[in-house]
Amino acid sequence: MVGSGPVPVRFFEDERGGNGGGGGAIRLTDDLPRLSASVQGTGLAEEAEARWRLVETAWQLDLPRAGVAVQADAAQDLLFVEQDRRIRRTSLTRVRAALNGYQRGCCFYCQAEVPLTATDVDHFFPWVLKERGEMPDADGVWNLVLACRGCNRGERGKFAAVPSPRLVARLHKRNNYLTDSHHPLRETIMLQTGVDTEARASFLRVRQQIARDHLIHEWEPVGAEADV
Ligand SMILES: [Zn+2]
């Protein structure tokens, strides 16, 4: 289910029958091995594992009710939660594995296909804003995307520039996807940025303004394709 309806291709049939009276099963369809063999299947197993780790942890810690958000360490490529005040980190999974599904093996900015191992975990609004205290929450999962090295730190890479409004809209769409599709990072995105799409849009507008005020220069990837 994404948004208000099911996706066009189903990867399983639920044959359990109405009221759990035994018999039947969840049957995987042939589309599943087909998907895993395709380009979009790159990192599928790793992503499934990442999602599962997130779900398990959310159950264990009762994340939304406890008001605990999954946090990210982009440099270490790590998602974690902090319990208590003792700053005890519980490692969850790799940022890359958790975010790859949405981007389907493509750079967030230029949308070129990139092998998962060659992607950078990038702060959409540059990390320098956090470092200087201008955007203390810039380390949130809401602000992390996977980028090719060219876009992140190539000759005409983003560095400490502000992504264009077109790209901010794309980030908004991505974060909405994570909440609407019941992705395990849903609660975290909502805790960090707002419970509905209007709240999240306004959250991003504020961050965009902060970034513009401090970094001035706008950035677009080289040879960017228009959004569909
Ligand atoms: Zn790129």
Side-chain angles (χ1 to χ4, degrees), residues 22 24 47 59-60 69 120 137 156 158 170 178 201 222:
E47 194 211 343
W59 285 342
Q60 270 166 22
D120 285 350
D137 57 2
R156 289 171 64 186
K158 178 162 70 68
R170 193 183 288 173
L178 291 178
V222 179

Side-chain angles (χ1 to χ4, degrees), residues 42-55 70-72 77-80 92-104 116 119 121 141 144-146 174 177-178 181 183-186 189:
T42 313
L44 182 67
E46 207 183 346
E47 194 211 343
E49 184 63 27
R51 282 185 174 226
W52 184 241
R53 288 284 301 139
L54 288 165
V55 170
V70 172
Q71 300 184 60
D77 187 15
L78 189 70
L79 292 180
F80 65 95
L92 296 173
T93 184
R94 299 168 62 218
V95 179
R96 284 187 201 160
L99 293 181
N100 186 50
Y102 177 74
Q103 295 187 213
R104 297 186 295 195
L116 193 56
T119 53
V121 177
V141 178
L144 297 181
V145 299
L146 304 181
R174 193 286 302 265
Y177 165 86
L178 291 178
S181 63
H183 190 280
L185 288 171
R186 172 176 200 259
I189 298 285

Side-chain angles (χ1 to χ4, degrees), residues 106-112 114 146-152 219 221:
C106 296
C107 170
F108 185 83
Y109 302 111
C110 71
Q111 307 201 308
V114 206
L146 304 181
C148 73
R149 286 169 188 163
C151 284
N152 191 35
W219 179 83

Side-chain angles (χ1 to χ4, degrees), residues 7-13 26-49 51:
V7 293
V9 178
R10 297 202 56 164
F11 298 104
F12 67 91
E13 298 294 339
I26 301 278
R27 186 170 56 84
L28 304 179
T29 68
D30 291 343
D31 286 315
L32 188 62
R34 214 170 287 151
L35 173 72
S36 67
S38 71
V39 173
Q40 294 183 13
T42 313
L44 182 67
E46 207 183 346
E47 194 211 343
E49 184 63 27
R51 282 185 174 226

Side-chain angles (χ1 to χ4, degrees), residues 8 19-20 28 41-42 45 48 58-59 64 70 77 80 87 115 123 125 134 143 148-150 156 173 187 200 224 228:
N19 38 25
L28 304 179
T42 313
W59 285 342
V70 172
D77 187 15
F80 65 95
I87 315 191
H123 291 83
F125 292 118
E134 292 149 359
N143 192 39
C148 73
R149 286 169 188 163
R156 289 171 64 186
K173 197 170 148 196
E187 308 295 343
R200 291 192 289 273
V228 179

